C-alpha cells in the first residue's frame, strides 16, 4: 500500500477536526515566534543596553523577555489541549466507524480475522493513529515552524553561518530516509504479532476450563511465552534501530553546533559579527535541537501510525457479501408467512459444497424438525434463511419474495434464529431478555418467561429479574442460558422461528414442556427445530432428515431418524 493512499485515507478521517488543527497551528506559530525572541533580546542587551549601562533599557529588555516567555507558555499549553482534544475525537470517530463496518460484515468475512486481533486493531491501532493525527500533528507544527523560523533567524543574523548549517540539515534528512523502510517493516511485524498475541489470549480465556481439565496449562504457557518473546525481540530490534538513528542524528547536530560556534567565533574575532550576534546565534543553534529531537520522535510515531493505518484499512477493505437492498421490501411479522427453500446450493469453499439442491416448503403454522448427521448443513440452512450468508445458487422465499430483496431489518424481524450457543451479556436477566425487544411491556416479559419456564430460574436467584449474570452468564447453567436466549427471541414475536439445537442443554422433560408451550405461543406461525434428539419428533408435524448434500426422507415419527443416525438407512426420497 502506497504512502499516498494512506495519506488520503487519513485526510478523509481527520478532515472534521480541521478547525481544531487550524487553531492549534496558529497557537504553535505564535508560541515559536515568541520563543525566538529570547536570543534577539539577549543580542540587544549585550550589544546595546549593557554597553550604555542603562537601567531603563535593562528593565525594558527584562520585561520583554518575561512577556515573550508568558506568550510561549500560554500558547504551548493551549496547543497541547487542542491536540489532545483532536486525538480523542479522531479516536471516537475511527472506532465507531470501524465498529459499524464490522457489524455489517457477514460471518464469512468475519472469520478472516480473529476477535482478539480485531479488538487490538480497534483499540491499539485506532489509538496510535488518533494520537499521531491529534497531538502528534501538534508536535509536527512545532517541528516545521521551529526549524523554518530558526533557520530564517540564523540567515538573517549572518547568512555565512546559515550556509554552514544547511549541509548538516541535508545529512540529517539523508540518515532518516535510509532507515525509514526498515522501521516501517519492523512496525508492521510488531503490530501483526500484537494482534496474534491478543487472539491467542482471547482463545485461551474462552477455553481456560478445558485447558485445565486436559492438564495442558504448561503447554499453553510455553506457547504464550514463545509469542511474547518473539514480539519482544522484534520490539527490541526496532528500539535499537530507533536508538542508533537518534544517536546518529544527535552526532550530526553536535557537529553542526561545533562548526557554527567555531566559525561564528572566527567572524567575531575579525569583526564580521558582534558578540551579541554570536550569543544569539548560539542560542538559535541550541534551540534547533528541540524541534529536531521532536522530529526524530515524531518520525518514529509516524512509522508506527503508518503500520496501524494499514491494519485499519484492511478492515475497511473487507466488503460484506450480504448487502442490504437499497429499496428492500418490508414485511409484517404479524401476518402469517410461508418459508420456501427453492433449489438452494451453498459452499464455503469452491469445490466443497455444503448444501446441494435443497427444496423445502414450510406452510403457515407448521411445526417441523430438521435432523441428520453432524456437519451435514442443517445450521448452515438456518443461517442462510436469516442472511448471515447468501446462497450460492437457488433462492429462499418468504411469502413468495426472495430474502435478498427484503430489507435486512425487516427480514430479521419476521424470521428469528436461536443458536445453540446462548449469548449472554454481563447484565441483569431483564436486560438480557429485553435485547429482543427493548419496548416490551412487563406483561409481555412475564409471558415469555412463563413459556420457556424461566420463572423457575428466577425463583432461586436472590434478585430475580435484576440478578447480574457476569461475563457470558457464568453464574448460570448451560440450560438456563438457553432459556434466556429463547425468551429474548420470543419477545420479538416473529412470524417464523428457527431453533438450532437451542434446547440441547435442557433435560428431556423440560424440553418437552418448553416445546409444548412454545407451540401454543407460536400458533399460526412457523417453528422449525434443528435437533438430534428423537424425542422432539413426536412434537412436530413433519420431520426432515438430511443426507449427504440433500434431504433423504421426511416422516412424522422418530423411527426413520433412529435408523438414519445408526447408519442403517440409505433411502433417498422426494419432497
Amino acid at each position: 500500500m502506497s504512502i499516498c493512499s494512506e495519506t488520503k485515507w487519513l485526510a478523509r478521517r481527520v478532515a472534521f477536526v480541521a478547525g481544531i488543527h487550524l487553531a492549534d497551528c496558529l497557537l504553535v506559530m505564535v508560541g515559536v515566534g515568541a520563543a525566538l525572541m529570547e536570543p534577539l533580546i539577549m543580542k540587544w542587551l549585550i550589544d546595546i543596553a549593557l554597553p550604555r549601562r542603562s537601567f531603563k533599557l535593562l528593565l525594558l529588555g527584562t520585561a520583554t523577555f518575561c512577556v515573550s516567555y508568558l506568550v510561549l507558555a500560554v500558547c504551548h499549553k493551549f496547543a497541547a489541549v487542542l491536540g489532545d482534544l483532536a486525538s480523542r475525537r479522531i479516536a471516537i470517530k475511527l472506532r465507531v466507524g470501524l465498529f459499524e463496518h464490522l457489524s455489517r460484515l457477514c460471518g464469512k468475512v468475519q472469520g478472516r480475522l480473529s476477535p482478539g486481533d480485531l479488538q487490538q486493531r480497534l483499540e491499539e491501532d485506532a489509538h496510535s493513529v488518533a494520537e499521531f493525527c491529534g497531538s502528534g500533528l501538534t508536535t509536527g507544527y512545532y517541528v516545521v515552524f521551529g526549524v523554518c523560523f530558526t533557520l530564517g533567524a540564523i540567515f538573517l543574523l549572518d547568512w555565512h553561518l546559515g550556509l554552514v548549517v544547511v549541509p548538516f540539515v541535508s545529512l540529517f534528512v539523508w540518515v532518516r530516509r535510509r532507515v525509514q523502510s526498515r522501521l516501517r517493516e519492523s512496525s508492521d511485524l510488531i503490530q501483526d504479532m500484537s494482534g496474534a498475541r491478543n487472539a491467542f489470549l482471547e482463545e485461551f480465556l474462552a477455553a481456560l476450563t478445558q485447558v485445565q481439565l486436559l492438564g495442558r496449562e504448561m503447554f499453553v504457557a510455553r506457547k504464550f511465552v514463545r509469542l511474547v518473546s518473539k514480539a519482544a525481540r522484534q520490539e527490541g530490534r526496532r528500539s535499537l534501530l530507533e536508538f542508533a538513528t537518534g544517536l546518529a542524528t544527535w552526532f550530526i547536530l553536535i557537529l553542526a553546533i561545533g562548526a557554527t560556534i567555531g566559525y561564528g567565533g572566527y567572524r567575531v574575532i575579525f569583526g564580521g559579527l558582534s558578540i551579541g550576534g554570536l550569543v544569539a546565534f548560539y542560542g538559535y543553534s541550541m534551540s534547533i535541537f528541540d524541534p529536531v529531537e521532536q522530529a526524530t520522535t515524531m518520525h518514529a510515531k509516524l512509522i508506527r501510525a503508518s503500520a496501524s493505518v494499514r491494519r485499519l484499512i484492511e478492515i475497511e477493505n473487507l466488503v460484506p457479501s450480504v448487502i442490504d437492498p437499497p429499496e428492500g421490501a418490508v414485511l409484517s411479522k404479524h401476518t402469517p408467512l410461508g418459508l420456501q427453500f427453492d433449489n438452494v446450493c451453498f459452499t464455503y469453499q469452491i469445490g466443497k459444497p455444503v448444501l446441494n439442491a435443497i427444496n423445502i416448503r414450510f406452510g403457515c403454522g407448521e411445526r417441523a424438525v430438521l435432523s441428520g448427521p453432524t456437519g451435514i448443513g442443517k445450521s448452515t440452512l438456518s443461517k442462510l434463511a436469516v442472511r448471515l450468508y447468501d446462497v450460492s445458487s437457488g433462492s429462499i422465499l418468504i411469502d413468495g419474495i426472495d430474502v435478498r430483496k427484503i430489507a435486512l431489518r425487516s427480514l430479521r424481524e419476521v424470521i428469528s434464529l436461536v443458536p445453540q450457543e446462548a449469548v449472554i451479556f454481563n447484565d441483569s436477566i431483564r436486560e438480557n431478555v429485553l435485547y429482543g425487544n427493548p419496548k416490551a411491556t412487563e406483561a409481555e416479559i412475564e409471558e415469555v418467561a412463563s413459556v420457556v419456564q424461566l420463572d423457575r430460574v428466577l425463583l432461586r436467584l436472590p434478585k430475580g429479574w435484576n440478578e447480574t449474570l457476569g461475563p457470558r452468564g457464568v453464574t448460570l447453567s448451560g440450560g438456563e442460558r438457553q432459556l434466556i436466549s429463547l425468551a429474548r427471541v420470543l419477545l420479538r414475536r416473529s412470524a417464523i422461528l428457527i431453533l438450532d439445537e437451542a434446547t440441547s442443554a435442557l433435560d428431556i422433560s423440560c424440553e418437552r414442556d418448553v416445546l409444548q408451550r412454545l407451540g401454543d405461543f407460536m400458533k399460526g406461525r412457523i417453528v422449525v427445530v434443528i435437533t438430534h434428539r428423537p424425542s422432539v419428533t413426536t412434537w412436530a408435524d413433519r420431520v426432515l432428515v438430511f443426507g449427504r448434500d440433500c434431504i433423504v426422507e421426511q416422516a412424522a415419527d422418530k423411527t426413520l431418524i433412529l435408523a438414519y443416525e445408526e447408519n442403517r438407512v440409505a433411502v433417498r426420497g422426494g419432497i
Side-chain angles (χ1 to χ4, degrees):
M1 186 176 298
S2 67
I3 295 178
C4 182
S5 61
E6 293 173 16
T7 303
K8 289 180 180 179
W9 184 89
L10 269 181
R12 291 195 299 271
R13 300 306 180 284
V14 304
F16 75 102
V17 292
I20 295 176
H21 275 299
L22 178 60
D24 202 15
C25 183
L26 293 174
L27 285 170
V28 170
M29 187 186 302
V30 174
V32 170
L36 291 177
M37 291 297 293
E38 179 197 351
L40 293 177
I41 294 171
M42 292 301 297
K43 178 181 182 301
W44 181 77
L45 286 172
I46 293 171
D47 290 344
I48 298 176
L50 294 180
R52 294 182 184 181
R53 299 181 182 277
S54 172
F55 186 69
K56 289 183 178 179
L57 292 179
L58 179 61
L59 287 178
L60 177 61
T62 304
T64 306
F65 184 86
C66 292
V67 169
S68 66
Y69 258 87
L70 179 61
V71 172
L72 170 63
V74 171
C75 290
H76 178 78
K77 295 299 181 183
F78 273 101
V81 169
L82 289 178
D84 289 339
L85 177 62
S87 293
R88 291 194 298 273
R89 291 189 176 180
I90 292 170
I92 292 172
K93 187 175 181 65
L94 281 175
R95 286 171 179 149
V96 171
L98 291 169
F99 183 87
E100 291 177 346
H101 180 69
L102 283 173
S103 68
R104 292 190 292 268
L105 297 178
C106 68
K108 231 178 189 180
V109 177
Q110 291 174 14
R112 298 180 189 175
L113 297 171
S114 68
D117 186 36
L118 286 173
Q119 181 178 350
Q120 195 264 350
R121 296 187 189 216
L122 262 68
E123 289 296 327
E124 295 183 23
D125 288 326
H127 172 75
S128 176
V129 172
E131 185 180 38
F132 177 79
C133 294
S135 56
L137 286 184
T138 303
T139 303
Y141 301 146
Y142 276 110
V143 170
V144 172
F145 292 124
V147 171
C148 291
F149 285 10
T150 304
L151 286 176
I154 287 173
F155 273 95
L156 287 175
L157 276 174
D158 193 302
W159 64 270
H160 297 90
L161 289 175
L163 291 177
V164 173
V165 175
V166 170
F168 292 99
V169 174
S170 301
L171 182 59
F172 166 79
V173 173
W174 178 80
V175 170
R176 302 305 304 184
R177 288 177 65 87
R178 284 294 299 268
V179 300
Q180 181 174 357
S181 60
R182 293 175 61 188
L183 280 172
R184 179 185 175 100
E185 180 182 352
S186 180
S187 293
D188 283 343
L189 286 173
I190 289 172
Q191 294 298 83
D192 290 340
M193 289 176 183
S194 180
R197 183 176 65 246
N198 284 350
F200 177 84
L201 281 173
E202 188 268 338
E203 184 180 61
F204 167 71
L205 293 174
L208 179 57
T209 302
Q210 188 64 34
V211 170
Q212 292 171 336
L213 291 174
L214 296 173
R216 301 290 281 172
E217 294 93 338
M218 291 305 299
F219 169 79
V220 174
R222 285 192 294 270
K223 191 173 181 180
F224 182 67
V225 167
R226 286 195 295 271
L227 284 173
V228 173
S229 300
K230 187 177 180 182
R233 286 193 297 271
Q234 188 61 41
E235 288 173 356
R237 293 191 196 99
R238 184 178 67 181
S239 297
L240 185 62
L241 184 59
E242 291 175 352
F243 169 76
T245 305
L247 193 62
T249 302
W250 275 86
F251 182 70
I252 293 170
L253 293 173
I254 291 170
L255 289 177
I257 289 175
T260 53
I261 292 177
Y263 183 66
Y266 170 81
R267 288 184 58 75
V268 169
I269 291 173
F270 289 94
L273 185 67
S274 68
I275 295 175
L278 178 60
V279 172
F281 199 90
Y282 173 77
Y284 286 132
S285 299
M286 290 298 294
S287 65
I288 206 171
F289 264 88
D290 186 46
V292 172
E293 181 185 5
Q294 288 178 336
T296 304
T297 304
M298 186 180 178
H299 185 264
K301 289 184 177 180
L302 172 61
I303 295 297
R304 297 177 188 181
S306 179
S308 294
V309 165
R310 289 189 290 278
R311 286 165 57 80
L312 296 180
I313 291 176
E314 282 181 17
I315 296 179
E316 286 202 350
N317 286 342
L318 296 175
V319 180
S321 58
V322 173
I323 306 298
D324 193 3
E327 297 182 359
V330 177
L331 303 178
S332 172
K333 62 182 180 181
H334 303 296
T335 303
L337 301 172
L339 174 63
Q340 180 179 349
F341 296 84
D342 186 9
N343 206 35
V344 169
C345 299
F346 181 76
T347 177
Y348 290 102
Q349 299 178 359
I350 297 175
K352 296 182 179 179
V354 178
L355 297 173
N356 183 29
I358 299 297
N359 290 280
I360 314 174
R361 183 190 296 272
F362 297 104
C364 299
E366 183 176 1
R367 299 187 299 186
V369 164
L370 269 63
S371 188
T374 300
I376 204 70
K378 306 183 299 297
S379 296
T380 299
L381 196 68
S382 66
K383 292 173 183 176
L384 291 172
V386 293
R387 287 198 73 199
L388 291 179
Y389 309 109
D390 271 339
V391 298
S392 300
S393 64
S395 59
I396 301 175
L397 309 173
I398 295 181
D399 202 29
I401 304 174
D402 193 313
V403 293
R404 289 168 292 190
K405 297 180 180 179
I406 301 174
L408 273 177
R409 181 178 292 274
S410 177
L411 172 67
R412 291 168 184 172
E413 283 182 352
V414 300
I415 179 168
S416 291
L417 169 64
V418 187
Q420 179 179 9
E421 185 69 28
V423 177
I424 303 298
F425 303 97
N426 187 12
D427 212 327
S428 66
I429 293 182
R430 181 184 301 277
E431 291 302 320
N432 267 278
V433 173
L434 284 174
Y435 264 90
N437 180 10
K439 298 180 180 180
T441 65
E442 191 66 27
E444 290 173 330
I445 297 173
E446 295 293 343
E447 181 184 12
V448 297
S450 175
V451 170
V452 302
Q453 299 187 5
L454 185 59
D455 45 4
R456 299 183 183 180
V457 178
L458 297 172
L459 291 175
R460 73 168 185 82
L461 298 175
K463 296 182 181 179
W465 280 107
N466 297 319
E467 186 76 23
T468 301
L469 303 179
R472 298 183 298 276
V474 294
T475 59
L476 300 177
S477 69
E480 290 169 338
R481 290 196 291 270
Q482 285 190 333
L483 293 180
I484 292 175
S485 179
L486 185 56
R488 175 194 299 154
V489 171
L490 290 185
L491 208 56
R492 297 173 64 81
R493 297 183 180 274
S494 301
I496 302 169
L497 177 64
I498 301 177
L499 307 182
D500 185 4
E501 299 282 0
T503 57
S504 59
L506 303 179
D507 61 70
I508 293 178
S509 175
C510 181
E511 181 183 51
R512 183 172 55 249
D513 292 344
V514 168
L515 288 176
Q516 187 59 50
R517 297 186 185 197
L518 180 63
D520 296 335
F521 180 83
M522 293 290 294
K523 189 173 183 180
R525 292 174 285 176
I526 296 173
V527 181
V528 179
V529 178
I530 299 173
T531 183
H532 288 96
R533 286 184 173 178
S535 57
V536 178
T537 62
T538 58
W539 166 85
D541 300 324
R542 182 165 52 136
V543 179
L544 305 174
V545 184
F546 271 59
R548 182 58 55 190
D549 303 334
C550 63
I551 297 173
V552 298
E553 188 58 274
Q554 58 181 354
D557 59 67
K558 63 183 180 182
T559 55
L560 182 65
I561 292 180
L562 289 171
Y564 186 83
E565 295 291 349
E566 296 171 4
N567 295 316
R568 294 197 297 265
V569 172
V571 178
R572 292 190 178 272
I575 299 300

